[in-house]
Amino acid sequence: LTIPLPKIPPIMLAAIARQSSTLADSLVQIHMQLLEMLHDVGIHPVSSAADGTETERKLQRQISALAHTTHPFSIANQMPECIICFDIKSYWGHPCVQVQDSKHGGKTAWNQLFTGARILSLGNFVMCYEMLLDFASHPLGPLFNKDVNHVDKQNDRAAARLLSAKALEFHLRFHSDQPALSIYL
């Protein structure tokens, strides 16, 4: 078990061994019972993380559907078609968001660059595999050759290296002609 925030100590509340075939329907009751027990002693989690398997995504959808209240929220933009709208779910008057755990989210973002697409676009700019090769082959770069060639798609450290502040700083300094990849990082 990991806590997605640095310097936040974990507090074990419950652990249940389950098989990979366990269905979300059986897990939602356990989760809601745990939330109720926490509420009874004045503890209100602000987030709930899952690693992104279909069972866990379904569980998160079911938990969200059982929220006591839903507050619509939007972030305005100058372009009307670019307004971000979402719902904030609350339990006993306390908001709680469903998130993907940060390590898994990092691997997902990293793996998107290796989808096999010939070119990815971000607005008017493009990203391609060759940019990652250039990034990894630079002698001062924060990436290793193995982070780009014959990659292990479950490598947390490679994803963390690519999506780090150091990688972004390096990319802006040595590859400023590739704005799409800089934006993505």
Side-chain angles (χ1 to χ4, degrees):
L1 298 174
T2 62
I3 303 299
L5 299 172
K7 300 181 182 175
I8 303 293
I11 300 171
M12 177 64 81
L13 298 177
I16 299 171
R18 66 175 186 91
Q19 297 177 338
S20 60
S21 61
T22 304
L23 300 176
D25 297 336
S26 64
L27 297 173
V28 73
Q29 291 175 311
I30 295 168
H31 185 87
M32 294 308 291
Q33 182 181 11
L34 180 60
L35 273 182
E36 188 169 338
M37 290 166 52
L38 290 170
H39 168 72
D40 289 345
V41 294
I43 298 173
H44 303 282
V46 295
S47 68
S48 175
D51 75 4
T53 65
E54 179 51 36
T55 298
E56 290 175 347
R57 287 192 309 264
K58 184 176 181 182
L59 174 61
Q60 286 185 318
R61 287 191 299 270
Q62 290 180 352
I63 292 166
S64 290
L66 294 172
H68 299 138
T69 55
T70 299
H71 307 282
F73 188 80
S74 63
I75 300 172
N77 192 309
Q78 293 175 352
M79 297 171 51
E81 64 275 4
C82 293
I83 295 173
I84 299 172
C85 299
F86 56 93
D87 292 330
I88 299 172
K89 306 294 184 169
S90 294
Y91 305 85
W92 294 280
H94 298 275
C96 183
V97 297
Q98 304 294 321
V99 298
Q100 185 178 53
D101 85 66
S102 58
K103 284 185 182 178
H104 190 80
K107 285 189 290 192
T108 299
W110 178 61
N111 285 325
Q112 295 305 313
L113 296 170
F114 298 95
T115 62
R118 301 265 184 232
I119 196 164
L120 300 170
S121 65
L122 194 59
N124 294 328
F125 304 103
V126 296
M127 296 179 283
C128 61
Y129 180 71
E130 186 176 348
M131 291 176 179
L132 293 173
L133 285 173
D134 291 344
F135 200 162
S137 65
H138 195 287
L140 299 175
L143 298 183
F144 297 120
N145 194 27
K146 67 180 180 177
D147 293 342
V148 179
N149 288 312
H150 309 293
V151 298
D152 171 6
K153 296 196 183 248
Q154 296 301 313
N155 188 336
D156 290 328
R157 291 183 177 156
R161 279 190 293 275
L162 178 63
L163 300 171
S164 69
K166 184 182 273 189
L168 176 58
E169 180 182 8
F170 170 83
H171 196 264
L172 289 169
R173 182 172 175 203
F174 292 99
H175 298 285
S176 60
D177 60 328
Q178 301 172 354
L181 187 53
S182 294
I183 292 166
Y184 192 81
L185 296 177

